[in-house]
Structure formats: structure tokens, C-alpha cells
Amino acid sequence: MSQIVSFPVMGMTCASCATRLEKVLNRQQGVQASVNFATSRAQVTLEEGAGQIPAVLEAVHKAGFVPQSTEADLSLSGLTCASCVSRVEKVLNALPSVQATVNLASERAHASFVPGIVDVPTLIAAVEKAGYGASLYSQQDSAEQDRRHVAQWRAERNNFVLAALLSLPFGVQMAGMMIGQHSLMLPLWGQALLAGIVQLWCGRAMYGAAAHALRSGAANMDVLVVLGTGIAFVFSAVVVVLGLDQPVYFESSALVITLVLLGRMLESRAKARASAGMQGLLHLQPRTAHVERNGQWVEQPVEQLVPGDVFMVRPGESVAVDGEVLQGQSDLNEAMLTGESAPVAKTVGARVFAGTLNQTGALQVRATRVGAQTVLAGIVHMVEQAQGSKASVQRLADRVAAVFVPAVLVLAVLTLGVGWAVTGSFGSSLVNAVSVLVIACPCSLGLATPTAIMVGTGLGAQAGILFRNANALEQARRMDILVTDKTGTLTLGQPSVVQTQFASGVAEAEVLGLARALEQNSEHPLARAVVAYATLKGSAPADITAFRAIPGQGVAASMGGQDVRLGSLAFMEESGCPVDQSLTDAWQAQGQSIIAVARGKKVLAYLGLADQVRPEAHTAIAALRAGGLRVVMLTGDNERAAQAVARQVGIDEVVAGVLPQGKAAQITRLRDGGQHCVGMVGDGINDAPALALADVSFAIGAGADIALETADVVLVRSQLMALVDTLSLSRATVSKIWQNLFFAFVYNVLGLPLAAFGLLNPVLAGAAMAMSSVSVVSNSLLLNLWKPHRPTDQT
């Protein structure tokens, strides 16, 4: 049966590209394609249906183009263990163009897919067909999700309380048997009644989940529990009904179900605490804002604000959306953004950010960014992406979980068969088999990594450290070489003109006007310093034409028929403009960066600029080196200026005079063919090639002025000690992951043989199984003891 799909394609630059792609697609057997350059879409008719889609997408890639993908997050329900995670991932990734990962701790799936080939309803339908619940996740649904989680926890608590009350007589009976008081034994029909209610009513959710799993051709933790307790209950019920002379195991059936319910209730509460950092961020933005409408202040939902709206922020309120102060002055607590609780003064013209807390005066603010465009929304999205991603160490647990449940089923059958053959006792062999089924716990394997990642990334966000994904968190602790930029990283990135020298016979105002004109459209810190200096001196920008930028060197233009230039000394010499070497050497020895202004072949002026070293830089570099890192400064500035800064901060290895494209080559050199794990810290913009090539990259920025799309780790706090905190948090988190995996593996490695050889009865096995997941999550929560350096620590 034929099928028509239409999907967007990136990379087409002209109509001939569309024609070429169309020809490539039409060469595929059973494919008829039409490519529209105007809409950048390909419409493809597939004679054999969806099975041809992977080949079509591969053909698009081979032609040099890329099918445009989009992303979506799904909220999942019904996940009980790592086997469920593997099952959902398998059904999602079986869809054409879909790449999906599932997180057991956050109960979310993150999927990337090509729209037109797959859509969100298709993803949801695939998950539901596998026996689980799914819906599109949205940050705005956080309050509703909180309510749903609370309601779910209450239902689990009530179910456990009922099971515990019904199972209490079995506990009393077992205690009586241990002390020889057989008078406490319940009549068999009473045992059957109580155990039946616990099994069939309190454990009904497990039966439903197990049935869904089996129908989809998989097995999960619920299958093991239902098989183990169900076999014990049915065997005992048959003994009672037929009046056989055999022991009954109603207490094992009821108490195991009760203990499993207890474990899941505690696990649910612990998982909620693991995501508390994320929920704290989500709740920072207020629900309503006081907005000006026709001269009146009215209260309306934040979702209705649009850029340009004017809203009021009163003392004690949080800022609704990002904006610019129009009237008033106050102090704002921006700890949610920077991790620092020290208030920041805001006056007219200052930028304010959603979620920050107004402490003193009232402010009138004009909205500039709303909804998903706010800095808070960007931070939340980045943290969610990190929490939903998988660390490489998780792949080991995933591979084990994929075969774990089938292996346990085989072991249980062997335990029953071999035990019965050797001992001749079917009853005792059955009990041992039930213990094997009950004690097996892939849940702890599935929770070991994501719970630690959730806590670690949440703590990082609260401290102004944003990890793009779990691998960034994992890689940071492996780093043994750190490459750092100078301007804006080791220094404050706010240089100013501290010295000038003009050629004889030229007007200072004229030269500064030329410099202002050449630099006024640049965002480089040195350019802004030059413009600020020229403006302070009252020089109006000159009239220039044919402006062009030479990356890493300077800028050039034409004025009055002559070439004019501004840039580095090397740029001047390459352009044939002689440089006063004695003057520039003296300035560079003082740590100044020098910019020259030239007209024709003559240098008109030298501008010496200096930047202030970050006050905490020396302490941070010392801490990094004490942690075993080799620190290298990589800068485009001249050798003398670079060495002057290096001496102040305590760096011995300096590579100066490197252009942006050369920085990437230096990263490759330092990696030494993969022998070293190299990190790079920079401003995230000018250092993009080097940041992209580094094993792990860090962007340091002030507040919202950061390159969120560049680095693996964004240090929102404009302090180098945040880098020290990043490495400390990475090491602490990865340590917790390995501890969790150790506990999970050792628990199963020791528990399964003990159960198989009859050294662990089902009740104890159920208790151990229930507590294994809780212990893993609780161990992850110990990460909350980690604390970042505070500004007072940096003196």
C-alpha cells in the first residue's frame, strides 16, 4: 500500500539543489519525489509504504542535505523498572527517523524525529500500544503534574496501608511461630481471604502492568512479582480447596505484595525529592502580573504577556518576564540566575529577568522576552535536557536490564526443577523459586544513574552551573588539561583605554571619530572600550564607506578616497604601516593590549587598553592546579600582555597571538591523539571553534549575556570559582553513580544465589527487593550535602 510523506529539508541554497535532490530520490526503487525549494520540503510517494522511509532519509543525507528534525518530550506513566525503560525506548526507536531516550527517574521520554514522517500523536500511540501511558510534556503543566504526583502518592499510600492492615495477622502469625506459639495461627480460610484481597485488590496495578508487558512481548519487574506471589497464592489456594496435606504460603504472598507496595511508595517520594531542584526552578516565575491596560493596573496571567507590555513589580514580588526598567529603582535577588544571593541594584534602563526577587522599591518594567524566550525558561529547558539525557555509564546498566528479567525467569525455573529433583520436595523448591522471582530487582539498576544526574544537575542549576547533557557532567571529572581564554575569562572582559599616543600633526578628535566609526558596530570588548573612550571625548563618528571586518586582526574601510584601518599591530605591519616598536614594547610590558589606527600607510594613533583581572582568578587557578589540572592560557593577545596576566593569576603555560581558527588547532595538539581530556573555558562566542572541539567546554558569562547554545557547561555565575564548583560537582555526582551501580549489581549478584539455594525466604527477599531501589535513590539524595563556593570563600 502506497504512502505519501512530506518533510522539511535543510541545506538547499538554490533551485538546482532541489532538482538534484529530486533526481537522487527518484532513483530509489518504488519512490516518486517532488522537492520544493521555496518551501524547503520534499514530498515523497512510497509504493511499499513506511518501510522505505529509512532508505529515503539515507538518500537525502548522501545527497548532501539534512532532513530537518524537531524534538518533543513525553510524560510517561506505568514505568516500574529498567525493563520498562528498555521496552519504551525500543518501540519509539523502531519508528522511522525517531531517536529517543527514556528516563525512569523523571518518567519522561525525549524524542527527536522528522516532522511529516512522525508526529507527537504517533509517538504517544506507540507508547500506549506498548502498555504505558503517555502525553506531551510542557513546562506550563508543572503545577498539574505536581498535583497528579501528589494524588498518585496518596493512592499508593492508601493502598499500602490497606495491604499492611490485612497482612498484619500474617506478621503476628510468623512471630508466634518463631516463639512456638502456634495458637496464633489463623484458620486456612481466613488466610486465603486476607491474602486474596491483598493479592487481587491491593496488587491489581501490578497485574495490569504485567499483563500489558506480556501482551507487548516483554517482561518487567511486575511480571516477576506477579509470578512469584501468584504462584505461592494459587498453590496455597489449591491446597485449601482440595484439602491436601501440604504447607501453605499465604503469608509469603501477602507480605511480599505489601513490602513491594511499601518500596514503591518510598521510591515515589524519594524520586520527587530528587527532582526538587528542578521543581524549585519551575515555581520561581509568578502566575500573574500587574499589567498596565488603558492607564489602569490589572492582574492577568503571565502567559498573556507580550513583548512591549508594561508591568509593575512590587517589593517582595518576583519578576514576571524578562524586561527593561522604565521607572523606579530597587535591589533584586538574582540567586536563581547566578547562584549569588547578594542583591543587585536596578535603575532605569537596567535589565531584569523572570523569577528574580524584588526586595525594596517598586519597578515599572517593559517586557522584552516572554514565555519560552525568557532566561529562566532557557535555564529550565537546559536542565530538563540534561536530566533527560543518559550518561555513557548508563549504557552498561541498560544492557544488563535488557536481559535481566528473562534470565531471572530461567533461573527461577531451574531453581524449581533442580531443587525438586534433588530434594524431592516440591513445596520447598517452589518457595525458593518464588524467592528468586521476588528478590530480582532491575529497578535499582534503572534508577542508579538518572537519580544522581537529576540531583546533580538540579544542584548545578541552583549554583548557576548549567550542564547541557549528562555526558558533560560525566566528562568534566575526566578532564586533565584546562585551556582558558584571557579576555572575559581570566579578566572581567571590560577593558578601557588607559593610554594614547597620537602622531604629530593630526587632530585627536578626528582620529577618535574615525576609530568610533570603525568600531561602533562591533560587540568585541576592545571595540566597545574604544567607542566608549571616543564618546567620552566628544568625538562624532566619521563618515566611512566600504566597511569590512578581518577576523582576528581588525577592520578596514574607505574615507575620502583613502584606506583607513584599525586593528592589531600585526595587522598594521601586514598592511604596510610601520609601527613604533619601542613605544609598543613598553606598553605591552605593562600588560596592555594595543590597537592602532591608520590612514593610508601611516599610523595615526596608538590606543593602549587594559583589562582588570578577575579578583578570584588567582584563587581559582590555584584550586584547579591543586586538583591535578594542567592549566594553559590560549589568547589572541600579544605575548607580553598575556604573560602579564598569567603572572597575576598563576598560570605558567601561555600560548599567545593565536587567531580564532588557530585555537582549535591548539586544542587538537593538546589532546595528543586522545591521550588527554581537554576542557576549554571561554566566552562561548569568539572561541566557538575551540569550544566545539574540546572534550568538554565551558562558557562563562554575566547573567543572561551568555552563549547558551555554544558550550557543554554554561557558568551563569561570572566567577571562575564556578569552574572549580563544576569539577567538584561532577566528581561528586559520578562518584554517586558508581556507588549506586555497585549497590545494584552487588545486591543482585549476592541475592539471587542466596534465594536459589533456599537461604532467603520470600518475605525477606521481598523486603530486600523493596529497599534496594529506595537505598539507591536515598544515596543519590546525599548529593544534596554538596555545597558550592560562596563569594566569601574567594577572599
Side-chain angles (χ1 to χ4, degrees), residues 94 211 720:
L720 280 173

Side-chain angles (χ1 to χ4, degrees), residues 684-773:
I685 303 172
N686 296 327
D687 302 309
L691 287 169
L693 192 60
D695 295 299
V696 57
S697 54
F698 306 84
I700 186 169
D705 300 323
I706 50 179
L708 283 174
E709 298 304 321
T710 304
D712 298 318
V713 185
V714 177
L715 308 177
V716 185
R717 233 168 78 203
S718 262
Q719 293 183 346
L720 280 173
M721 288 305 294
L723 187 58
V724 180
D725 291 336
T726 302
L727 302 184
S728 169
L729 180 57
S730 171
R731 288 165 179 164
T733 304
V734 173
S735 175
K736 284 297 175 192
I737 290 173
W738 282 110
Q739 289 173 19
N740 289 346
L741 288 173
F742 174 80
F743 293 151
F745 277 116
V746 168
Y747 163 83
N748 284 290
V749 167
L750 294 179
L752 285 170
L754 290 175
F757 286 103
L759 300 177
L760 208 59
N761 69 54
V763 175
L764 290 179
M769 184 275 291
M771 295 311 297
S772 63
S773 295

Side-chain angles (χ1 to χ4, degrees), residues 338-404:
T338 64
E340 298 175 17
S341 57
V344 180
K346 301 290 181 179
T347 57
V348 175
R351 298 172 67 186
V352 294
F353 308 105
T356 54
L357 180 64
N358 184 24
Q359 294 186 329
T360 52
L363 298 174
Q364 288 187 29
V365 182
R366 181 176 61 244
T368 56
R369 289 186 289 190
V370 301
Q373 281 72 48
T374 65
V375 173
L376 176 60
I379 289 175
V380 169
H381 177 71
M382 194 169 180
V383 175
E384 286 178 340
Q385 292 297 92
Q387 293 187 342
S389 62
K390 287 191 176 184
S392 59
V393 68
Q394 178 67 19
R395 296 171 193 151
L396 172 64
D398 288 345
R399 287 197 296 269
V400 172
V403 298
F404 185 84

Side-chain angles (χ1 to χ4, degrees), residues 565-718:
R565 298 177 182 82
L566 181 149
S568 66
L569 300 179
F571 179 43
M572 293 297 131
E573 291 175 341
E574 288 178 10
S575 304
C577 303
V579 172
D580 185 345
Q581 204 68 48
S582 61
L583 173 71
T584 58
D585 285 351
W587 287 12
Q588 287 177 348
Q590 300 171 22
Q592 296 179 22
S593 299
I594 303 173
I595 289 177
V597 184
R599 181 171 56 207
K601 300 297 181 182
K602 180 182 179 181
V603 174
L604 302 180
Y606 298 96
L607 307 178
L609 297 96
D611 195 1
Q612 183 180 352
V613 171
R614 290 182 181 273
E616 81 284 0
H618 187 277
T619 303
I621 296 299
L624 292 168
R625 295 181 66 177
L629 265 67
R630 171 185 165 195
V631 183
V632 180
M633 179 198 291
L634 193 61
T635 177
D637 212 340
N638 65 80
E639 181 73 25
R640 292 189 178 182
Q643 289 290 354
V645 172
R647 284 193 297 270
Q648 293 182 64
V649 301
I651 294 178
D652 299 327
E653 193 171 347
V654 177
V655 182
V658 184
L659 298 179
Q661 57 268 31
K663 290 185 177 182
Q666 291 293 330
I667 295 292
T668 301
R669 177 184 66 84
L670 290 167
R671 290 179 70 183
D672 191 21
Q675 298 298 312
H676 295 282
C677 182
V678 177
M680 170 76 184
V681 56
D683 60 13
I685 303 172
N686 296 327
D687 302 309
L691 287 169
L693 192 60
D695 295 299
V696 57
S697 54
F698 306 84
I700 186 169
D705 300 323
I706 50 179
L708 283 174
E709 298 304 321
T710 304
D712 298 318
V713 185
V714 177
L715 308 177
V716 185
R717 233 168 78 203
S718 262

Side-chain angles (χ1 to χ4, degrees), residues 61-84:
H61 281 287
K62 287 183 177 179
F65 306 102
V66 180
Q68 184 176 344
S69 63
T70 188
E71 297 179 342
D73 289 319
L74 302 180
S75 293
L76 305 177
S77 60
L79 302 180
T80 57
C81 66
S83 299
C84 300

Side-chain angles (χ1 to χ4, degrees), residues 416-432:
L416 175 61
V418 174
W420 191 6
V422 172
T423 64
S425 171
F426 177 79
S428 62
S429 299
L430 177 65
V431 170
N432 295 345

